């Protein structure tokens, strides 16, 4: 084993790769925005970008997304595109990531620390993307939370079933009235 230090990655090469990936991400996201209410997960975006650039990444999807989507956001702003990164959602719950919060923080939006409000802002931003790139956008289109996010919120907010007491005489569960139908 040599004591020589391992060669360091050339930052210029890394920057060029990230630029290529970000341009590919813009292309993929424009395609996603061409269909009303369509979104893409971080993992799916990473795979599609790797297929376009022929530059697979061994980075975890979150790490890769932070690096590439930050550049994608800057490219969108420079080109006058809406925030295409609002189309990228987590596969676990259909919500946007923290990078999106950072991208819109300086835009005068309030309550971005509230996760639900962040999703509302993302839905508004997605509608802007659909308006720009979706040729058959319905006239009554409005900001829409992702189906996965709505399902996640419903599951999370579903009240726990209450345990009802049992009748002291027959030991069957009492109805909501609290009076045993069998014994009374």
């Amino acid at each position: 084993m040599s004591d020589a230090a391992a060669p360091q990655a050339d930052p210029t090469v890394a920057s060029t790769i990230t630029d290529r990936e970000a341009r590919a991400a813009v292309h993929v996201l424009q395609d996603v925005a061409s269909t009303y209410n369509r979104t893409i997960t971080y993992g799916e975006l990473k795979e599609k970008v790797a297929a376009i650039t022929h530059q697979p990444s061994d980075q975890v999807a979150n790490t890769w997304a932070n690096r590439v989507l930050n550049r994608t956001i800057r490219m969108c702003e420079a080109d006058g595109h809406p925030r295409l990164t609002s189309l990228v959602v987590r596969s676990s719950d259909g919500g946007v990531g923290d990078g999106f919060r950072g991208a819109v923080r300086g835009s005068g939006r309030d309550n971005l620390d509230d996760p639900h409000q962040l999703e509302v802002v993302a839905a508004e931003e997605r509608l802007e993307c659909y308006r720009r790139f979706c040729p058959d956008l319905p006239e009554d289109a409005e900001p829409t939370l992702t189906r996965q996010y709505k399902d996640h919120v419903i599951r999370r907010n579903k009240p726990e079933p209450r345990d009802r007491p049992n009748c002291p005489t027959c030991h069957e569960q009492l109805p909501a009235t609290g009076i045993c139908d069998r014994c009374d």
Side-chain angles (χ1 to χ4, degrees):
M1 183 178 284
S2 169
D3 288 333
Q8 298 296 314
D10 182 348
T12 306
V13 172
S15 177
T16 302
I17 291 170
T18 302
D19 282 345
R20 275 196 344 237
E21 289 171 317
R23 279 192 297 279
V26 168
H27 174 75
V28 170
L29 294 173
Q30 287 173 342
D31 180 58
V32 169
S34 70
T35 304
Y36 181 51
N37 280 338
R38 184 174 167 209
T39 57
I40 189 169
T41 66
Y42 287 93
E44 291 168 336
L45 179 64
K46 181 181 173 192
E47 288 175 16
K48 287 183 183 269
V49 166
I52 292 170
T53 62
H54 304 291
Q55 187 70 43
S57 173
D58 59 354
Q59 290 181 325
V60 177
N62 290 349
T63 304
W64 177 89
N66 286 338
R67 179 175 54 82
V68 173
L69 293 181
N70 285 335
R71 188 76 50 98
T72 302
I73 290 166
R74 288 195 299 273
M75 286 181 173
C76 287
E77 289 171 353
D79 293 342
H81 292 314
R83 292 185 177 95
L84 290 165
T85 56
S86 63
L87 299 164
V88 186
V89 298
R90 293 182 297 263
S91 60
S92 61
D93 65 4
V96 293
D98 288 333
F100 180 76
R101 177 183 288 118
V104 295
R105 189 169 298 283
S107 66
R109 306 282 186 140
D110 293 332
N111 299 326
L112 294 178
D113 291 328
D114 174 9
H116 182 72
Q117 184 60 35
L118 181 64
E119 295 306 321
V120 170
V121 169
E124 293 167 353
E125 293 290 334
R126 283 192 293 271
L127 181 58
E128 291 304 312
C129 295
Y130 303 133
R131 283 185 176 139
R132 174 75 64 88
F133 298 105
C134 182
D136 56 351
L137 183 70
E139 286 187 30
D140 62 346
E142 53 188 43
T144 308
L145 299 172
T146 66
R147 181 186 49 76
Q148 301 96 322
Y149 179 76
K150 287 188 274 190
D151 290 348
H152 176 74
V153 169
I154 289 168
R155 277 192 313 271
R156 188 179 65 204
N157 293 335
K158 189 175 183 179
E160 292 293 321
R162 293 186 331 194
D163 287 333
R164 293 190 186 146
N166 292 334
C167 172
T169 307
C170 70
H171 304 292
E172 287 196 25
Q173 190 175 44
L174 293 173
T177 62
I179 300 170
C180 182
D181 294 331
R182 185 180 213 181
C183 295
D184 203 28

